[in-house]
Amino acid sequence: MTKKIALIYAHPAPNKSKVNKYLLQAVQYAEHVVVRDLYELYPNMFINVDAEQQLLVESDVIIFQFPIYWFSSPAILKEWMDRVLSGGFAYGATNQLAGKELMLCVTTGGTEDSYQEGGRHGAPLDVYLQPFKQTGLFCKMKLLPDFIVQGVGDMSAGEVAIAGQQYQKIIHELGKGRGQS
Amino acid sequence: MELQSDFLHTAVIYLGVAVIAVPLFKRLGLGAVLGYMVAGIIIGPQGFDIVHEVDPTLNFSELGVVLLMFLIGLELNPAKLWQLRKPIFGLGTAQVALSIAVLMAAGMMMGHGFAVACAAAVALALSSTSTAMQALEERGLSNTTVSQSSFSVLLFQDLAVIPILAFVPLLGMGASAEPTSYEDVLKTFGVFVGFIIGGRYLLRPVFRLIAETKIRELFTAFSLLLVIGSGLLMEAVDISMALGTFLAGVLLAESEYRHELELNIEPFKGLLLGLFFMAVGMSVDLSILFDRPLVILAIVAGFMLLKGIVIYHLGTMAGLTRSDRVLFALLLAQGGEFAFVVVALIQSLGIVDVTFASELVLIASLSMFITPFLLLLNEKIIMPRFNISTVQESDIERNEGHVIIAGYGRFGQIAGRVMLSRKIPVTVIDHDPNHIEFLRKYDFKVFYGDATRIDLLESAGADKAKLLILAMDDQTAVQETAAMVKRYFPELPILARARNRMDLNRLKMAGVKASRRETFSSALEIAELALVELGYGAREAHQTVLRFRHYDEKNIAGAAEFMEDEKSMINYAKRTRAQLEEVMSSDQEELSNSDKAW
Ligand SMILES: Cc1cc2nc3c(=O)[nH]c(=O)nc-3n(C[C@H](O)[C@H](O)[C@H](O)COP(=O)(O)O)c2cc1C
């Protein structure tokens, strides 16, 4: 049985994205993927909690895809977490997310080597992703390996295309239930 | 010179009494119609006899009724008229037929012969469009269900006049009515087709031509020409002028010059209708009344009662609420201007004699005269029984910390429903009895009446309320009420509905806490949808519109100081528009691609 994937996408300006838009295009037509483009769906940040929870229940894998903005995600993903991952649904005795898998797909402007102690970004990227990962763990979800694209500013079109292909492959494998571990 | 000064004399007299009597009567709450009529009585042959010749005035001023019908037509486009077909033919037929039957029976019981009773019944069965519509308009009830039912009946009556005028002669010597020939039918048909085609294709270019000359009075002249011309044209094919112009109005209801026409005709209508009511006042032969006051008054009362009862019951058929049925009956129970026409006809045919004819005219006039009083009585004494009586002190006491919403139409309702969804106690003030009775069913606390009246606000608990929302349609009323409430209840915060940008500043000056333009938000939402449709991201579209709102509101606040000076206002508007464009496009850079900088 194929796994179902809920791709929670948070990018405020589709027309101005260089990488994320491309990554999304590479996977959004796969049959087992349902994309929730949060800024398109909820431009005024009013999130339809029922619909979001419903989707999560029906999915096996949840992906958060976003560009790093100020050492975190764009604001709407936080709002999404605050409202959708409510007590009794995402944690507590009646947790409905337990056992599902969480994956992060993240892009950064800064290059990999700027992400270290003493570098421009002060710490490895993983430090900044901790809040998202801990959220998954708190909800008794299993973590999948991250998909990271860094140094976006210097990427050529070819490099973006290659990243897209890699992303596509991972999503494809995930669907078969045999994601890399 | 002689003639001219004579004319001017008369004009001064007419205008003079009108200017004195009408405001006085309005003040007294008796309505303008009555004011005109009394003015007419005063200057007429029965009063000081300043004006002796009534008939020319009456004839001339009937043009007022014609203009009124045209304006009513303008408000109704063909689609709306089609929607009303059921009440027009159902209610209308029933009213005319039943009223004639009942009145005729009464007449025969009084000992009149069949023909006389029938003719008199026909004359009195028709109501007064001018009295009823004017009364509705004066009370701001033009868009209510009663108004619509009344209008339907009145319109049918106007239609019925054609067959009636053709049929009445048969009562006399059995003279054969002219058989309608094919030719006539064809002629009528031709006129209609000409009208529709002319209205569609000819009128626009002509209007445009005239508009381009930029001579305003030419436009007015053309408007009048159009109305009167179409009236005469219709008359030429045996359709009453009133009905003809009404149809002309309907045909023009969808043209883009509708508002211009309305604006141009309105003052003429007002003046001529006033003149018409004065003429009615003058033509009342009071000597008959003074000879046999009790008999005449009894007849008037009996006549209106019978007709009123018929109409009241028809109100049930129209699905009107109880209080509306009373209003409906009172609005239409009187005899109307067509009574004069029909009476003149039956008199000339020898069906009735002169004395009886003038009695009929007197009865019709008196009933028109009484109508405003009855309506006032209804408002002050009967209406409150339906609506306010259940709201006694106890209710008001419970009403504490509530929100008062004045005006519960499309606007107020939305605000009200949000409040209710949060179980916030709401008290509603509205002057449409239909809203009221509907709301009562849902356990709203409702006050019938005019929110501009401070006593009403007081009994709605304005001193203990948390908030007042002024959601009336009438912007002048909103602003007046706001100012007044600030004087009497300075502690009560007010939110208000505004119509345009200027209103925002005016309301602010009146002490309103915040106000919103009635269509602004939904128009912005459409703009947002448009941007999305054009390929903008939803988020960007939303932000664009929010930014627009922000700057627009800022600019309006900045315009407050130019409010009274149109020229600098326009300058300011131009300046801010340029600024706005600049600001909006520079803001677009907010998420620029500066990835390398990270
Ligand atoms: C408001 C904002 C904040 C950002 N903050 C960071 C940051 O803290 N660290 C970083 O490496 N890049 C940062 N960036 C760069 C984005 O991460 C980069 O533009 C994005 O990953 C590129 O993806 P895209 O082409 O799909 O937009 C920021 C960009 C913006 C617009």
Side-chain angles (χ1 to χ4, degrees):
Chain A
M1 210 185 75
T2 49
K3 284 191 184 173
K4 288 193 166 168
I5 300 179
L7 201 169
I8 312 299
Y9 179 73
H11 194 297
N15 302 335
K16 286 178 183 135
S17 165
K18 175 174 170 188
V19 182
N20 278 286
K21 183 176 66 181
Y22 200 84
L23 293 179
L24 189 71
Q25 275 168 11
V27 303
Q28 67 184 354
Y29 301 110
E31 229 168 89
H32 60 301
V33 175
V34 175
V35 175
R36 306 295 283 183
D37 185 340
L38 297 186
Y39 277 115
E40 278 299 309
L41 285 170
Y42 310 119
N44 55 7
M45 287 245 185
F46 181 71
I47 285 163
N48 183 342
V49 173
D50 287 343
E52 296 298 318
Q53 290 185 343
Q54 177 75 24
L55 175 68
L56 297 187
V57 169
E58 289 163 3
S59 306
D60 307 300
V61 181
I62 297 162
I63 299 178
F64 291 163
Q65 181 185 335
F66 56 91
I68 287 284
Y69 280 8
W70 292 115
F71 314 100
S72 185
S73 70
I76 204 168
L77 182 58
K78 185 65 167 59
E79 173 75 359
W80 184 94
M81 288 160 69
D82 296 351
R83 307 248 347 267
V84 176
L85 303 180
S86 56
F89 172 76
Y91 59 94
T94 48
N95 180 352
Q96 300 196 48
L97 300 181
K100 297 183 189 291
E101 293 170 309
L102 178 69
M103 174 180 157
L104 303 179
C105 169
V106 174
T107 66
T108 73
T111 54
E112 198 178 344
D113 33 293
S114 70
Y115 275 90
Q116 52 180 300
E117 229 155 299
R120 273 164 53 74
H121 290 87
L125 177 60
D126 200 53
V127 171
Y128 303 113
L129 298 182
Q130 271 311 303
F132 301 95
K133 295 188 170 177
Q134 185 56 35
T135 299
L137 293 174
F138 191 86
C139 298
K140 300 211 161 64
M141 293 164 76
K142 288 180 280 188
L143 294 182
L144 295 175
D146 314 318
F147 182 79
I148 308 286
V149 179
Q150 291 191 281
V152 167
D154 291 326
M155 279 174 89
S156 66
E159 285 170 319
V160 174
I162 291 171
Q165 276 167 15
Q166 287 172 344
Y167 191 40
Q168 194 173 46
K169 193 158 160 258
I170 291 170
I171 297 291
H172 183 70
E173 295 293 321
L174 262 181
K176 287 197 238 159
R178 280 194 323 216
Q180 335 135 291
S181 37
Chain B
M1 205 59 221
E2 181 76 344
L3 224 165
Q4 197 180 4
S5 75
D6 215 41
F7 168 74
L8 289 181
H9 272 291
T10 322
V12 164
I13 291 165
Y14 278 122
L15 295 172
V17 288
V19 168
I20 296 167
V22 173
L24 192 71
F25 273 72
K26 270 219 104 146
R27 250 297 141 78
L28 294 173
L30 292 172
V33 175
L34 205 57
Y36 282 119
M37 286 194 197
V38 169
I41 293 181
I42 292 172
I43 57 172
Q46 312 291 317
F48 292 104
D49 200 13
I50 307 173
V51 178
H52 330 282
E53 292 266 327
V54 181
D55 279 355
T57 314
L58 193 60
N59 282 341
F60 175 63
S61 63
E62 259 163 34
L63 198 52
V65 183
V66 168
L67 295 182
L68 173 72
M69 292 303 287
F70 179 74
L71 289 175
I72 294 174
L74 266 190
E75 293 286 328
L76 279 174
N77 51 36
K80 223 153 125 198
L81 193 63
W82 182 244
Q83 268 176 14
L84 283 178
R85 67 193 183 278
K86 265 204 199 132
I88 292 173
F89 288 100
L91 269 185
T93 325
Q95 188 273 330
V96 174
L98 287 176
S99 300
I100 290 180
V102 169
L103 293 176
M104 201 171 108
M108 287 173 75
M109 258 151 45
M110 284 166 63
H112 293 292
F114 173 83
V116 175
C118 184
V122 166
L124 292 178
L126 305 179
S127 316
S128 166
T129 307
S130 43
T131 312
M133 294 314 275
Q134 186 78 14
L136 282 168
E137 199 175 302
E138 255 175 56
R139 286 168 177 72
L141 296 176
S142 299
N143 289 319
T144 57
T145 325
V146 210
S147 160
Q148 221 160 63
S149 304
S150 311
F151 171 74
S152 302
V153 170
L154 290 166
L155 186 62
F156 178 80
Q157 292 180 356
D158 288 339
L159 288 168
V161 169
I162 308 164
I164 284 175
L165 291 183
F167 158 82
V168 162
L170 295 180
L171 286 174
M173 40 231 98
S176 62
E178 271 180 53
T180 25
S181 63
Y182 276 120
E183 223 173 292
D184 284 344
V185 175
L186 255 157
K187 232 170 41 190
T188 313
F189 186 73
V191 167
F192 269 87
V193 171
F195 237 86
I196 295 174
I197 295 177
R200 274 270 143 86
Y201 301 105
L202 215 64
L203 216 56
R204 274 178 207 188
V206 175
F207 264 122
R208 203 172 317 123
L209 267 174
I210 290 176
E212 271 163 15
T213 62
K214 297 229 164 69
I215 304 171
R216 273 210 68 87
E217 60 273 22
L218 202 59
F219 208 101
T220 310
F222 183 64
S223 304
L224 283 174
L225 174 69
L226 188 74
V227 178
I228 299 171
S230 52
L232 285 177
L233 195 66
M234 290 293 186
E235 214 178 34
V237 290
D238 289 338
I239 296 174
S240 83
M241 237 180 141
L243 185 63
T245 46
F246 168 75
L247 287 175
V250 172
L251 291 177
L252 291 176
E254 269 167 346
S255 89
E256 62 266 47
Y257 293 101
R258 197 189 102 185
H259 280 290
E260 288 292 322
L261 278 169
E262 233 166 40
L263 281 176
N264 281 313
I265 305 274
E266 186 74 49
F268 290 98
K269 176 213 89 176
L271 275 178
L272 286 172
L273 259 191
L275 194 60
F276 172 75
F277 289 125
M278 281 204 253
V280 171
M282 289 190 288
S283 60
V284 178
D285 188 353
L286 288 176
S287 60
I288 303 181
L289 178 62
F290 293 138
D291 281 350
R292 298 179 296 155
L294 288 181
V295 180
I296 296 289
L297 286 180
I299 293 177
V300 172
F303 150 60
M304 290 185 79
L305 193 67
L306 284 178
K307 192 168 164 191
I309 289 173
V310 168
I311 295 168
Y312 178 86
H313 285 291
L314 289 177
T316 330
M317 183 173 131
L320 294 180
T321 59
R322 217 141 52 91
S323 61
D324 269 2
R325 267 178 266 159
V326 176
L327 181 61
F328 185 42
L330 291 178
L331 275 170
L332 298 180
Q334 79 293 100
E337 42 276 12
F338 282 118
F340 307 142
V341 181
V342 176
V343 169
L345 180 69
I346 55 182
Q347 189 194 333
S348 70
L349 290 170
I351 301 174
V352 296
D353 56 27
V354 189
T355 346
F356 190 62
S358 32
E359 251 177 56
L360 280 176
V361 171
L362 178 68
I363 291 167
S365 314
L366 279 179
S367 67
M368 282 167 81
F369 186 77
I370 291 171
T371 299
F373 283 107
L374 291 178
L375 288 174
L376 189 71
L377 212 67
N378 179 44
E379 256 158 58
K380 292 269 135 83
I381 296 171
I382 304 176
M383 219 57 134
R385 260 169 225 270
F386 284 113
N387 295 308
I388 303 184
S389 62
T390 43
V391 188
Q392 294 300 357
E393 266 83 89
S394 61
D395 266 351
I396 295 165
E397 255 164 59
R398 271 195 289 127
N399 257 354
E400 231 172 278
H402 59 298
V403 174
I404 302 176
I405 300 182
Y408 215 64
R410 292 176 308 154
F411 193 93
Q413 271 173 30
I414 298 174
R417 276 166 49 207
V418 175
M419 298 302 120
L420 288 184
S421 75
R422 280 283 161 168
K423 296 210 166 61
I424 297 165
V426 169
T427 298
V428 170
I429 302 178
D430 199 300
H431 66 187
D432 183 343
N434 270 299
H435 288 162
I436 304 274
E437 219 142 305
F438 174 80
L439 291 170
R440 278 197 177 279
K441 287 193 199 124
Y442 288 86
D443 282 340
F444 272 86
K445 282 192 199 67
V446 201
F447 289 81
Y448 169 78
D450 189 351
T452 52
R453 272 174 37 205
I454 203 75
D455 52 334
L456 197 67
L457 280 165
E458 199 165 358
S459 45
D463 51 337
K464 296 195 186 98
K466 271 222 176 85
L467 182 69
L468 168 66
I469 301 178
L470 295 176
M472 296 93 88
D473 184 40
D474 179 352
Q475 185 55 212
T476 331
V478 168
Q479 289 175 14
E480 277 168 13
T481 313
M484 195 180 58
V485 169
K486 270 292 141 200
R487 228 177 312 131
Y488 288 90
F489 307 101
E491 301 294 313
L492 180 63
I494 307 173
L495 300 179
R497 164 182 180 176
R499 216 167 251 277
N500 55 38
R501 316 175 90 218
M502 304 287 257
D503 294 335
L504 293 178
N505 284 331
R506 288 195 198 109
L507 286 164
K508 199 167 168 188
M509 277 186 352
V512 165
K513 189 151 191 191
S515 53
R516 287 290 178 270
R517 283 163 281 175
E518 55 190 8
T519 51
F520 189 58
S521 290
S522 38
L524 284 184
E525 278 171 37
I526 285 290
E528 181 176 334
L529 293 174
L531 289 175
V532 171
E533 223 34 63
L534 293 172
Y536 283 73
R539 152 103 171 163
E540 198 175 351
H542 188 65
Q543 292 284 320
T544 301
V545 162
L546 288 184
R547 233 177 291 131
F548 181 89
R549 177 195 281 277
H550 172 78
Y551 287 115
D552 193 58
E553 278 164 6
K554 209 166 108 184
N555 287 342
I556 291 172
E561 51 177 311
F562 307 119
M563 228 160 83
E564 306 309 332
D565 179 2
E566 198 185 13
K567 205 154 171 206
S568 43
M569 184 79 211
I570 292 171
N571 270 335
Y572 177 77
K574 279 190 186 148
R575 211 154 9 100
T576 49
R577 187 173 339 132
Q579 274 170 10
L580 187 65
E581 274 165 24
E582 202 176 303
V583 168
M584 294 291 285
S585 51
S586 71
D587 271 9
Q588 300 300 330
E589 308 303 323
E590 96 188 312
L591 282 172
S592 59
N593 273 331
S594 51
D595 287 346
K596 286 187 194 174
W598 291 96

